[in-house]
Amino acid sequence: MPRNGRNTRQQILNAAQRVISEGGFTRLTTSEVAREAGCAEGTIFRYFKRKEDLCLAVVLENAPKFKDTIARKRAGIGSVKKNLEEIVLAAIRFSDDLIPLGVSLFADANLLARYRQAWNKSEGGPKEAFDLIATYISEEQQLGRIKRKAAPLLVSALLLGPCFHWTFLRQGMGKNVLPMSDREFARGMVSILLLGLED
């Protein structure tokens, strides 16, 4: 077990993510997380007052990883198609992590209220992902690589919405609804979208 506090906390968060992804929020007990993380159960309470705080932390700390992927995209570098495909794949991965947690949040009104408060206190929030993609789209428009008439925030919605839906159906059905991989889905979706975006 790492002695560094930040590493230990992250190890606990990673273990909680795995427990929720594999068994849902009902399986998320501090004893199960401790077993998965390879630490004493008491160690968890050094970083999180209760199980709900741990769940909230997993949700709040997964989002920045996804947003960092978007923020690293620079207009004019690489192809627009490749950049958007990578954003789509990152959104699918994020949705895979988020959906089991989201179901847990929506099933508990008090936990959902605390989650909303936490987002309101943070500088970002769910809309930040839309804004980051919109900024990238706008910058590509200025370079002439995307049509200027396309509304950047709506392009964001057209990218993110299908990613969540694709992942939601997979988690419900236990398999991809359409006979294709995530990468094939990303390529196809972006190709169709670009028919209306590229000059």
Side-chain angles (χ1 to χ4, degrees):
M1 184 65 170
R3 293 185 179 182
N4 182 283
R6 177 174 291 183
N7 290 342
T8 302
R9 185 178 186 279
Q10 188 60 54
Q11 190 166 335
I12 292 168
L13 285 172
N14 292 344
Q17 175 72 68
R18 290 193 297 273
V19 169
I20 294 170
S21 297
E22 293 168 9
F25 186 68
T26 54
R27 190 183 152 209
L28 184 69
T29 63
T30 51
S31 60
E32 184 69 15
V33 172
R35 186 194 64 75
E36 182 71 25
C39 69
E41 189 172 0
T43 303
I44 295 172
F45 294 106
R46 294 180 193 165
Y47 302 94
F48 308 98
K49 290 182 180 179
R50 48 187 175 175
K51 180 178 78 171
E52 290 78 9
D53 294 322
L54 176 56
C55 182
L56 282 171
V58 172
V59 174
L60 293 171
E61 296 188 26
N62 268 333
K65 298 173 187 175
F66 169 50
K67 292 170 187 173
D68 285 346
T69 298
I70 304 171
R72 285 196 297 269
K73 297 303 168 193
R74 294 287 179 263
I77 299 177
S79 71
V80 173
K81 186 175 187 295
K82 184 67 173 175
N83 290 338
L84 293 181
E85 285 176 6
E86 290 176 5
I87 289 172
V88 167
L89 288 170
I92 290 172
R93 289 191 296 270
F94 177 58
S95 295
D96 261 330
D97 290 338
L98 182 66
I99 287 171
L101 297 164
V103 170
S104 305
L105 291 172
F106 279 96
D108 185 327
N110 291 330
L111 188 58
L112 181 59
R114 292 180 60 211
Y115 166 76
R116 288 170 175 160
Q117 286 179 339
W119 270 126
N120 289 334
K121 290 178 182 177
S122 72
E123 295 180 0
K127 186 175 176 292
E128 188 179 5
F130 288 87
D131 290 336
L132 286 168
I133 295 174
T135 297
Y136 168 73
I137 296 297
S138 178
E139 290 171 352
E140 292 286 20
Q141 288 174 322
Q142 292 171 29
L143 294 176
R145 302 212 302 173
I146 291 179
K147 290 180 180 177
R148 287 185 177 271
K149 66 181 180 180
L153 275 175
L154 291 180
V155 176
S156 296
L158 288 171
L159 282 169
L160 293 177
C163 297
F164 182 87
H165 189 242
W166 171 259
T167 310
F168 182 81
L169 290 177
R170 174 169 63 210
Q171 293 199 6
M173 301 295 293
K175 62 180 181 179
N176 286 342
V177 176
L178 302 179
M180 62 182 70
S181 67
D182 288 349
R183 188 166 294 279
E184 290 170 327
F185 175 78
R187 287 173 179 163
M189 191 177 77
V190 169
S191 293
I192 291 171
L193 184 60
L194 286 177
L195 292 176
L197 292 179
E198 288 185 327
D199 287 321

